């Protein structure tokens, strides 16, 4: 099955438990449609570059999934209809990276950047 990475931004006025419940809800949507969530991360409340629906901050969540395309389409459809979800981004990848995402790594664990020109 194809591999996907999903990033979701939920409204800032949700509690942490409500935001994590959203992650669980959408994970079960994938599971019910013959897919599986390989990994999920809750990144917390972060400030956005610009306002979305009059919100300056949002709860960020990251999912790595192994699911058929119809399951991903159904999950995205339900995310877009949900009133607490502001933005959704899904990317098809060739392989999942091992370990935590870059967002969750500490600065000293990250690989060095290339030199600026």
């Amino acid at each position: 099955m194809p591999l996907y990475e999903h990033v979701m931004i939920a409204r800032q006025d949700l509690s942490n438990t409500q935001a994590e419940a959203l992650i669980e809800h959408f994970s079960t949507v994938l599971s019910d449609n013959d897919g599986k969530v390989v990994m999920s991360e809750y990144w917390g409340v972060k400030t956005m570059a610009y306002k979305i629906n009059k919100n300056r901050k949002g709860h960020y969540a990251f999912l790595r999934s192994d699911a058929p395309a119809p399951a991903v389409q159904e999950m995205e459809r339900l995310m877009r209809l949900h009133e607490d979800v502001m933005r959704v981004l899904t990317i098809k990848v060739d392989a999942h990276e091992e370990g935590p995402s870059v967002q969750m790594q500490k600065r000293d664990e990250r690989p060095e950047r290339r030199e600026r020109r």
Side-chain angles (χ1 to χ4, degrees), residues 44-104:
V45 178
K46 298 203 175 283
T47 304
M48 296 183 282
Y50 56 90
K51 286 185 181 180
I52 300 174
N53 299 339
K54 299 180 182 176
N55 291 304
R56 274 266 180 228
K57 296 182 179 187
H59 290 273
Y60 281 71
F62 177 69
L63 299 168
R64 287 184 179 148
S65 67
D66 183 5
V72 173
Q73 290 172 347
E74 177 65 14
M75 184 190 71
E76 277 191 337
R77 185 184 74 82
L78 292 174
M79 281 182 168
R80 293 187 196 286
L81 290 174
H82 202 283
E83 64 184 17
D84 292 334
V85 178
M86 295 189 299
R87 289 287 190 272
V88 178
L89 175 69
T90 299
I91 299 172
K92 185 176 179 181
V93 295
D94 294 330
H96 289 303
E97 294 180 12
E98 293 297 319
S101 65
V102 174
Q103 203 61 319
M104 296 300 285

Side-chain angles (χ1 to χ4, degrees), residues 3-65:
L3 303 174
Y4 296 95
E5 292 183 351
H6 316 274
V7 176
M8 171 186 73
I9 306 174
R11 290 184 308 130
Q12 67 183 0
D13 53 344
L14 297 177
S15 67
N16 291 352
T17 55
Q18 289 174 320
E20 290 175 355
L22 274 177
I23 298 168
E24 290 300 318
H25 171 69
F26 293 122
S27 297
T28 56
V29 168
L30 280 178
S31 300
D32 293 345
N33 291 308
D34 301 326
K36 71 175 187 178
V37 174
V38 177
M39 185 202 76
S40 66
E41 291 178 350
Y42 172 65
W43 290 347
V45 178
K46 298 203 175 283
T47 304
M48 296 183 282
Y50 56 90
K51 286 185 181 180
I52 300 174
N53 299 339
K54 299 180 182 176
N55 291 304
R56 274 266 180 228
K57 296 182 179 187
H59 290 273
Y60 281 71
F62 177 69
L63 299 168
R64 287 184 179 148
S65 67

Side-chain angles (χ1 to χ4, degrees), residues 100-112:
S101 65
V102 174
Q103 203 61 319
M104 296 300 285
Q105 292 175 1
K106 295 180 182 167
R107 285 213 180 264
D108 54 340
E109 294 175 2
R110 293 182 190 169
E112 293 297 318

